[in-house]
Amino acid sequence: MNLAPTKLTDEERNLQTEVRAFLDERLPPGTYPLGLGMAGDVDPDFSRDLAAQGWVGMALPTEYGGGGRTAVERQIVVEELLTRGAPIGFHWTADRQSGLNILHNGTEEQRRELLPGIARGEYSFAIGMSEPDAGSDLASLRSKAVREGNTWHVNGTKIWTSGAATATHILGLFRTSDDRHGGMTQFIIPAGTPGMRISPIPFIDGTQHFCEVVFDDLQLSDAARLGEVGAGWGQNTSELALERGGVDRWMSLMPILERWATTETVRDSAAAQIDLGRILARLWAYRGMSLSIARLVDAGRFPVVEAALVKEMATQFEQESLALVRRHYGRAPSLNSADPWEALLAQAILVAPSWTLRGGTTEILRSVISKGLVQR
Ligand SMILES: Cc1cc2nc3c(=O)[nH]c(=O)nc-3n(C[C@H](O)[C@H](O)[C@H](O)COP(=O)(O)OP(=O)(O)OC[C@H]3O[C@@H](n4cnc5c(N)ncnc54)[C@H](O)[C@@H]3O)c2cc1C
């Protein structure tokens, strides 16, 4: 495995400056609910405004309304958004993975219908993979799609579906035959399709992004199928690789770190300065690794193992960094504090255990990494 060091070019730095200027204007501090990285607030207006700048769907080809930009350029935009705790929840999943999945596996009709809406920031996707008895062991999922003529009948339950209540589409993985890995197929289900019941599962911090989605004889035409019947496992695995490599996996804490670095706690304490230095050094290293992964993607490679490695290390780093900030803070922060930063710190403490779960648990990633390295 070789993650070659890389730097931003002058053009890439110009993009960074442009994004910063736009966000200074569009998101002045105190005018929006601060979010923890990719768990940022859902704000369709902000998603559309960002899209109008050409910064949603950047990786999609221009013929489908996308930006035709590089993975590095997308990372530059993403870094700026996450650093500010921006309200990116509405477009996030579609921008990061569903659009590319549709581009690679969809029919021409699906591409023409869905990709421009994603690039305009108008479509919001939720991903229905996990089930009550199939999380890490996704191949044991039981929700079924059964074909009768041109109609698929969908039954079963999905769980932990982030953003399902506000999504315009759910991209779900369903069992279409008994073949363990070869018997799963993906379907694109528009919100409001009869036969779908979405209930929020209140998260530990009081938010309601998490959902249970029950399908009760939901009927879909064959045009809703994404890719070949039985190709769902491979498509889903490729999508997970897109989910794991990016900076969004480990930049949850940025608004907290930025503010903490300027507080008295750090100014007046040598021990806190040493810890801040340690955090920054590691942050810079992970940032370099994610950038190298983006360069590999731009060179046409598919760095699945590298992405899993960064997620495994960097999500634990996030939790360790939070533990340090919390220790130096010296008292229990309140979720109801009038200071949005303190409330965000309290929220982070509550949800931090989920950072090493979402997108694949640490144990599962270790298995992906070790198998990948043995095969090289
Ligand atoms: C914030 C958050 C957002 C999420 N959003 C979504 C979403 O939008 N869509 C979606 O489909 N899912 C989502 N998930 C679900 C997430 O992907 C699953 O929680 C995850 O895959 C683990 O599944 P599980 O919770 O069923 O745990 P289990 O699979 O029951 O695992 C429990 C523990 O056992 C370990 N374990 C399991 N199998 C093995 C093994 N073979 N070897 C070693 N250890 C093992 C796991 O690592 C874990 O520590 C989300 C989860 C979180 C926390």
Side-chain angles (χ1 to χ4, degrees):
M1 183 181 305
N2 180 18
L3 285 176
T6 176
K7 283 188 178 159
L8 297 185
T9 63
D10 288 345
E11 273 175 20
E12 289 164 347
R13 285 203 181 284
N14 289 343
L15 172 64
Q16 194 176 49
T17 310
E18 223 181 296
V19 181
R20 285 180 184 169
F22 169 77
L23 293 177
D24 284 347
E25 180 121 336
R26 182 61 179 79
L27 292 181
T31 60
Y32 63 99
L34 274 181
L36 291 167
M38 66 173 164
D41 201 39
V42 171
D43 181 346
D45 289 340
F46 176 71
S47 294
R48 275 192 289 269
D49 289 351
L50 192 70
Q53 303 297 312
W55 297 332
V56 177
M58 289 174 77
L60 297 173
T62 48
E63 61 178 303
Y64 300 113
R69 310 288 289 262
T70 65
V72 169
E73 288 171 318
R74 181 174 175 272
Q75 179 168 324
I76 289 167
V77 174
V78 165
E79 278 177 358
E80 297 307 317
L81 292 166
L82 301 179
T83 300
R84 294 179 198 234
I88 53 174
F90 188 74
H91 68 269
W92 199 249
T93 304
D95 177 67
R96 180 182 62 194
Q97 63 197 81
S98 313
L100 288 169
N101 189 351
I102 293 166
L103 176 71
H104 295 309
N105 302 306
T107 59
E108 189 55 22
E109 202 183 341
Q110 287 168 335
R111 289 189 201 128
R112 300 233 166 258
E113 185 198 329
L114 296 166
L115 299 185
I118 289 177
R120 285 194 302 267
E122 288 170 4
Y123 289 164
S124 173
F125 274 68
I127 303 297
M129 298 177 293
S130 306
E131 296 187 3
D133 296 315
S136 298
D137 185 15
L138 195 55
S140 66
L141 66 81
R142 290 200 212 129
S143 289
K144 268 193 181 153
V146 177
R147 189 174 192 159
E148 261 182 34
N150 198 36
T151 303
W152 290 91
H153 294 260
V154 180
N155 284 284
T157 300
K158 294 288 175 185
I159 201 161
W160 320 132
T161 321
S162 303
T166 46
T168 56
H169 299 80
I170 294 185
L171 210 167
L173 183 66
F174 297 95
R175 185 149 288 292
T176 43
S177 84
D178 291 337
D179 185 329
R180 188 167 151 84
H181 289 99
M184 286 176 272
T185 307
Q186 287 190 310
F187 291 87
I188 302 169
I189 309 172
T193 305
M196 181 161 60
R197 195 173 66 248
I198 300 176
S199 326
I201 306 171
F203 205 38
I204 190 168
D205 60 350
T207 55
Q208 306 236 340
H209 298 315
F210 244 16
C211 295
E212 178 191 67
V213 187
V214 177
F215 301 94
D216 182 10
D217 197 31
L218 177 138
Q219 296 179 25
L220 293 171
S221 86
D222 194 44
R225 170 166 53 83
L226 180 65
E228 298 300 318
V229 175
W233 176 259
Q235 289 172 202
N236 203 78
T237 313
S238 310
E239 212 181 310
L240 280 171
L242 295 170
E243 252 199 83
R244 289 172 180 160
V247 288
D248 46 322
R249 282 287 159 205
W250 54 267
M251 283 185 75
S252 321
L253 270 187
M254 289 309 288
I256 290 178
L257 292 177
E258 282 234 323
R259 163 83 179 271
W260 181 61
T262 62
T263 56
E264 284 169 13
T265 331
V266 174
R267 262 203 317 272
D268 302 343
S269 157
Q273 284 168 21
I274 290 169
D275 282 335
L276 177 63
R278 287 193 175 124
I279 291 172
L280 289 180
R282 289 177 71 186
L283 200 65
W284 196 242
Y286 292 127
R287 197 263 185 168
M289 290 168 86
S290 283
L291 201 55
S292 302
I293 288 177
R295 291 267 188 240
L296 285 175
V297 170
D298 287 336
R301 304 265 298 279
F302 206 54
V304 177
V305 179
E306 288 82 353
L309 187 78
V310 171
K311 183 189 182 289
E312 194 269 352
M313 292 193 295
T315 53
Q316 291 176 78
F317 151 75
E318 279 194 312
Q319 291 172 337
E320 289 156 17
S321 304
L322 179 63
L324 289 175
V325 174
R326 182 185 185 182
R327 204 177 70 220
H328 289 294
Y329 192 64
R331 63 185 167 85
S334 164
L335 205 50
N336 301 316
S337 170
D339 175 354
W341 181 79
E342 183 185 325
L344 194 69
L345 179 60
Q347 190 188 1
I349 291 167
L350 288 172
V351 306
S354 74
W355 294 341
T356 48
L357 295 176
R358 60 184 186 185
T361 66
T362 297
E363 292 83 353
I364 297 300
L365 289 166
R366 285 180 184 160
S367 159
V368 170
I369 296 161
S370 49
K371 280 184 197 155
L373 289 178
V374 166
Q375 280 163 12
R376 283 183 183 195

